Each structure stands twice: as structure tokens, then as C-alpha cells.
Amino acid sequence: MPRERLYLFDTTLRDGAQTNGVDFTLADKLVIARMLDEIGIDYVEAGYPGANPTDTNFFAEKRPLRTCVTAFGMTRRPGRSVSNDPGLVALLDAQADAVCFVAKAWDYHVRVALETTEDEMLASIRDSVRSAIAKGREVLLDCEHFFDGYKANPAYALASAKAAYDEGARWVVLCDTNGGTLPHEVEKIVGEVCKAIPGDHVGIHAHNDTEQAVANSFAAVRAGARQIQGTLNGLGERCGNANLVSIIPTLKLKAEFSQHFDIGVPDDKLQTLAHVSHTLDEMLNRAPDRHAPYVGESAFATKAGIHASAIMKEPATYEHVAPETVGNRRKLLVSDQSGRSNVLAELERIGLVVDKDDPRVIRLLDEVKDREAIGYAYEAADASFELLARRMLGKVPHYFEVEKFDVNVEQRVNAKGERVTVSQAVVKIKVGDDILISVSEGIGPVNALDLALRKDLGKYQSFITGLDLTDYRVRILNAGTEAVTRVLIESADESGEHWTTIGVSPNIIDASFQALMDSIIYKLVKSGAPA
Ligand SMILES: [Zn+2]
């Protein structure tokens, strides 16, 4: 059966860049654009030339990408000609394959925000589309507030889309700008639009304010739209945009879509999706969402022992798709509720060969249970679990010993008369016969301790140079005087691998020390450092 082409349009670098706390450099944008190009996204909207130096620089030269590099901008301003609108001139000069204009599709916004008439807005759309086509660009029109506009005044909303289509725009994109439209409304309205404009020229741009941006995108496709706009990890202002990392696997793995539509993402690229998602988080210095559909660490995790033994026999019993298809992996949680089958499966994944009747398996399980009872949580700390298991099997070399450490926090008035808090750590380490003493100052006591620990490991130093602490989370368990502190540290290295380690103690510095030590030891084991 011939399948219809469904196009994907990524706006991580434009709409996604509106996210609070996200600030892409030109280098970041180039890396992300290449990554999107590599997986086969049809369009990459890279920014708004003229709006800021980064975006202007991105479009200053032609980028060697297969994807359709798209520049975003406004249609000509009301009351001006195309050549007399510097913003539009800059947009038309941008080195892009396509131009995506944005125009108001809600008559209320035309009057109140633009202070102009519907006729002038429609003329602006036609003139802008025509000028970009004359420049040899493919043209898209984002119809801003289309759904709210359509509910208020369907004739004008449709006229704004039709004006662009009739003038030769390749796509008119219906935007749920406020993100409040519900799937059944999207399906109905897109269906009506597709009676006037062929669906293979209609796109959907959904925001996630009711957590239905992905559902709204699919509703639009069911109604005839053939382009989906979205972002990696659902990045975007407020609650985000439609998440392409969820949309892509659904389109490829669910029969309702995969039987009817072909997207530009091949199977082998789908297998890199988890990596792509985590790479973006890494660039943003965020911890990946463990519960993200398809790509989250918990997306294919099972806790209960009874489920675990079923999964070992037949994975399809508890999984809606195979984790490998999206580059994720099955995870059987080693936790309080787990049985021997969980532990065995984890050991197998780590690559430790143990006979299933080996008494050490039960010892390990008991140890995990005892430690979890006092606050450890191994399902969140894979690397610490691995070390625990390896130690039980006698497979962790004794690399070095921390003979003592001292952490000092001092608040004082500095030479400029400012009150400052300074943290300093001193660590005494024994490597072989060598005693190494390191001193470091840090932003806080844990940072100082981390820096001091990693400052000089003697012959092991070269193994940990790529080690990086990427996230640090603290929880106080059991409120009151009995409180213990649980510290989770996420680390990464030059190979892009991430791992999490744990420490538990009534003392936050001690808990942090345990987690830091596990991270360093894990890295040494992983790097094959000699004993
Ligand atoms: Zn948007």
C-alpha cells in the first residue's frame, strides 16, 4: 500500500529558544541543526534573522544541511511596502531554503495588537509570500492564534490561510498559539480548513498548555494535515511545544500512522532518538526527564518481581514497543520489591556472569534491601548498584584510599568590605605508597570536596580527566531529629555516558562524599584502570 508523505518541521531553535532559561549560542544551534538533519527532519527552523546577533549570524551563510533550513519572521508591516520594511528585507536576504512568515489569524489581534484592518493584514500576507517566492524561497505561513481566531471569526481566519495558499505558499500552518484548544476541536477545525485548502499544504503547530500538544498534532493529521511542527523534548515557552521525541516514534511504531504515512526518519535513526534527546538536555545542562515517554530512563522500567520474571520470558507482556527501537533499554529495577530475577537481569545487563543459584545473588539482594531500609535508592543510582554488585563478587580493585578529609566553611568580610562565604576542602589520599594532599576552594563545601578529591589521584589522574559532575540532588528523609540526607550525583564523561551514584548519611557532606567516591571509582572501573 503506498503511504502518504507526512512532513516534520522542527522549531527547537526558534520557538524552543523562547523557553525560560534557554539561551543557545551559534555553536549550539549548529550542533542541534546537524543532529536534526542527521535523523531526517524535513524542516529546521533555525531562528529569526534580524532579531538577535546569533540568529542573524546563523543565516549569514548557507549551511550545508540536507534539511530545508527555514528562517522565521513577520509579514510586512501594515502601511509599508515590502522594500520599505527593513525586517522583511533582512528576512529575504537570509541564507535560508525556506521562509516561515507569521501572521495574525485572529481578527481581534489584527485590530488590537496590530491596529490595522483585516484587508490590510491579508494584503500584507499576499505581498510577503509573493516577495519570498520571487527570491526563490519555499514559503510557509504560521497562522498565529488560528484556532481561537477560527472560533471567533471563521471567515477571517480561513481567509488569512487562503491568502497565503492562493499566493503560492507551500504550507499554511495552523497554530494553537495559546495552547488551549482540545483535540476534538482541532480535528473538527482542521477538517473544515482542509475543505478549502488541500491537507498536503496544511500544517499543525500545537502548544502544550493542556498537555495535549502531541494529541492535538495527531488529531490534525487525522483531519488531513500533513505537516507537524514541534520541538525536541517539547521545548518551548510556558508549557512547551508538541514534543517531536514522542511524536516521531508514535508515527513510526503505531500501525494507525505507520501503515498510512511515511516520514523522513529511517529506522536506524529512530534508534538514536534517546541519545538525541539526552544530548539536548546535556547542552541545556538539565537532568533528562526520567519519565519521558519512549526515551526516559523509566520508560521501560519495571519494579515488581513478578513482572520482572514475565518480562525476562516475554518482553511484549509489559512493553508497548521494544525499547531498542528508540535507543532506550529495558530496566528491571533493583529495589525493595524486587526478587532474585531482577537482580539476575541487572547483573546480566552489567555484564557480570553469575550462576543463578550462586549464594552471592541472595547476599546482594539482602544487602540492597538492608541499605534501602536506611535510605538508599538503587533504582535511581545504577552506578552505585553496579559497584555494590562488583564488590560483592570481588571485582573492584582497591585503587586508592582517602585517609582523611577536612571541609571548612568560613564567612567573613573581605578586603572590599563585602561579606563572603568561602568553602575549602583538604583531602589526604593514599595511592600505593604515595600520600597525596590536595586543597581546593569551591562554590560550596561539596564543590570544594569534589574538586579536592579529583585534583590529584596520582597514577589514576589521567583516567578521570573527562569526568564531569552534571547534577546534584539532595533529599532529606524522615523529617525531625532522625533525618538522614540522601544525595544523588549524576556524572558524565567524554564518551557521553551518564551514571548516577548515591550516598546516605545524617551528615550531608558525608553523604556527598560517598556519592562522589562511587562516581570516581565507577569511572575508574569503566575505564579499565589497573589496580
Ligand atoms: Zn509557537
Side-chain angles (χ1 to χ4, degrees):
M1 181 171 48
R3 293 182 302 170
E4 227 182 307
R5 188 69 161 79
L6 180 61
Y7 293 84
L8 297 177
F9 182 107
D10 180 279
T11 183
T12 305
L13 302 179
R14 201 275 302 170
D15 220 350
Q18 309 289 324
T19 315
N20 251 349
V22 169
D23 192 14
F24 294 127
T25 63
L26 178 61
D28 292 339
K29 286 204 166 200
L30 290 168
V31 168
I32 295 168
R34 274 195 290 272
M35 206 159 69
L36 292 163
D37 188 41
E38 190 60 34
I39 57 176
I41 302 294
D42 298 296
Y43 295 83
V44 171
E45 189 170 53
Y48 187 169
N52 59 65
T54 303
D55 288 6
T56 303
N57 288 337
F58 187 100
F59 291 104
E61 54 187 277
K62 184 104 180 69
R63 302 296 172 183
L65 300 167
R66 284 163 302 174
T67 187
C68 187
V69 175
T70 306
F72 173 88
M74 314 267 260
T75 57
R76 74 158 171 80
R77 284 199 233 163
R80 292 218 186 178
S81 68
V82 168
S83 56
N84 213 2
D85 181 337
L88 181 52
V89 170
L91 179 59
L92 295 176
D93 284 339
Q95 295 296 308
D97 305 307
V99 169
C100 183
F101 289 109
V102 59
K104 308 231 176 266
W106 188 354
D107 60 349
Y108 169 70
H109 276 260
V110 174
R111 286 192 310 272
V112 175
L114 285 185
E115 297 182 344
T116 186
T117 62
E118 292 171 20
D119 284 344
E120 174 59 9
M121 183 73 247
L122 296 176
S124 159
I125 292 171
R126 284 192 294 266
D127 293 347
S128 306
V129 170
R130 199 183 315 121
S131 65
I133 290 174
K135 273 280 208 174
R137 305 289 189 266
E138 185 176 325
V139 179
L140 303 91
L141 180 75
D142 272 359
C143 300
E144 197 183 42
H145 297 291
F146 185 85
F147 294 92
D148 297 310
Y150 192 92
K151 289 180 201 169
N153 182 345
Y156 171 70
L158 197 54
S160 67
K162 198 84 167 55
Y165 174 69
D166 289 345
E167 205 60 50
R170 170 68 184 86
W171 295 100
V172 291
V173 182
L174 312 180
C175 302
D176 186 24
T177 310
N178 291 350
T181 311
L182 303 176
H184 68 279
E185 299 174 309
V186 169
E187 191 158 354
K188 178 166 168 283
I189 293 172
V190 173
E192 284 166 16
V193 172
C194 289
K195 289 176 193 157
I197 298 169
D200 57 1
H201 292 270
V202 173
I204 178 75
H205 177 111
H207 278 264
N208 202 32
D209 297 69
T210 70
E211 212 173 13
Q212 298 186 90
V214 169
N216 280 342
S217 304
F218 292 136
V221 169
R222 271 197 301 274
R226 293 296 176 258
Q227 184 194 92
I228 298 177
Q229 298 202 346
T231 59
L232 289 176
N233 296 349
L235 214 62
E237 62 181 330
R238 305 192 310 277
C239 317
N241 283 59
N243 185 358
L244 287 178
V245 174
S246 297
I247 287 173
I248 291 168
T250 299
L251 290 174
K252 283 195 62 81
L253 301 174
K254 298 296 172 181
E256 176 182 356
F257 296 107
S258 64
Q259 285 177 356
H260 299 109
F261 301 110
D262 182 25
I263 59 173
V265 181
D267 294 350
D268 62 326
K269 296 301 175 188
L270 183 64
Q271 288 165 16
T272 69
L273 199 63
H275 179 71
V276 166
S277 169
H278 298 158
T279 303
L280 180 71
D281 285 325
E282 176 67 26
M283 290 176 73
L284 297 174
N285 204 17
R286 294 177 168 187
D289 176 5
R290 313 176 68 84
H291 302 285
Y294 294 107
V295 298
E297 218 185 316
S298 298
F300 299 95
T302 304
K303 193 162 181 173
I306 162 177
H307 289 190
S309 51
I311 282 197
M312 294 284 281
K313 281 185 224 138
E314 191 46 75
T317 47
Y318 288 96
E319 288 169 357
H320 73 113
V321 298
E324 308 79 51
T325 54
V326 292
N328 206 341
R329 64 181 168 84
R330 180 169 306 126
K331 197 172 173 198
L332 302 175
L333 301 178
V334 175
S335 81
D336 215 22
Q337 297 169 35
S338 69
R340 190 201 300 229
S341 50
N342 276 9
V343 173
L344 283 167
E346 269 303 289
L347 293 176
E348 191 187 316
R349 188 190 62 74
I350 294 167
L352 293 173
V353 184
V354 192
D355 186 82
K356 72 177 172 35
D357 296 319
D358 190 319
R360 291 177 299 180
V361 173
I362 292 297
R363 276 222 306 281
L364 177 59
L365 184 58
D366 288 343
E367 178 78 19
V368 166
K369 284 181 176 171
D370 288 349
R371 285 170 162 258
E372 295 206 334
I374 59 168
Y376 287 83
Y378 284 100
E379 62 181 69
D382 48 357
S384 286
F385 172 76
E386 180 169 338
L387 285 179
L388 192 67
R390 285 184 182 275
R391 285 194 177 110
M392 187 122 331
L393 301 169
K395 290 188 174 167
V396 178
H398 185 79
Y399 297 112
F400 64 92
E401 199 175 323
V402 177
E403 292 212 324
K404 69 175 197 174
F405 70 80
D406 175 41
V407 179
N408 174 286
V409 180
E410 181 183 87
Q411 194 180 79
R412 55 177 155 81
V413 177
N414 69 10
K416 292 182 197 159
E418 300 156 336
R419 192 155 271 284
V420 291
T421 306
V422 184
S423 302
Q424 193 189 60
V426 182
V427 177
K428 187 176 174 191
I429 296 172
K430 190 171 178 214
V431 186
D433 292 331
D434 301 331
I435 297 288
L436 305 165
I437 296 176
S438 302
V439 183
S440 277
E441 283 195 354
I443 299 163
V446 175
N447 180 237
L449 180 60
D450 175 39
L451 295 175
L453 266 177
R454 292 197 279 144
K455 200 169 187 175
D456 188 3
L457 273 190
K459 62 176 175 172
Y460 296 119
Q461 192 61 27
S462 63
F463 292 95
I464 62 160
T465 44
L467 174 64
D468 213 6
L469 196 157
T470 55
D471 199 21
Y472 175 80
R473 300 192 292 277
V474 178
R475 263 189 78 184
I476 310 295
L477 309 167
N478 316 333
T481 49
E482 304 274 306
V484 293
T485 305
R486 173 198 289 164
V487 167
L488 285 169
I489 285 179
E490 192 182 294
S491 309
D493 70 4
E494 65 282 1
S495 72
E497 195 193 325
H498 286 250
W499 62 89
T500 307
T501 53
I502 191 167
V504 173
S505 166
N507 182 311
I508 186 171
I509 302 291
D510 185 45
S512 305
F513 174 73
Q514 294 172 22
L516 288 169
M517 284 293 285
D518 267 10
S519 175
I520 293 169
I521 306 282
Y522 179 83
K523 171 66 179 158
L524 291 175
V525 170
K526 186 170 114 59
S527 305

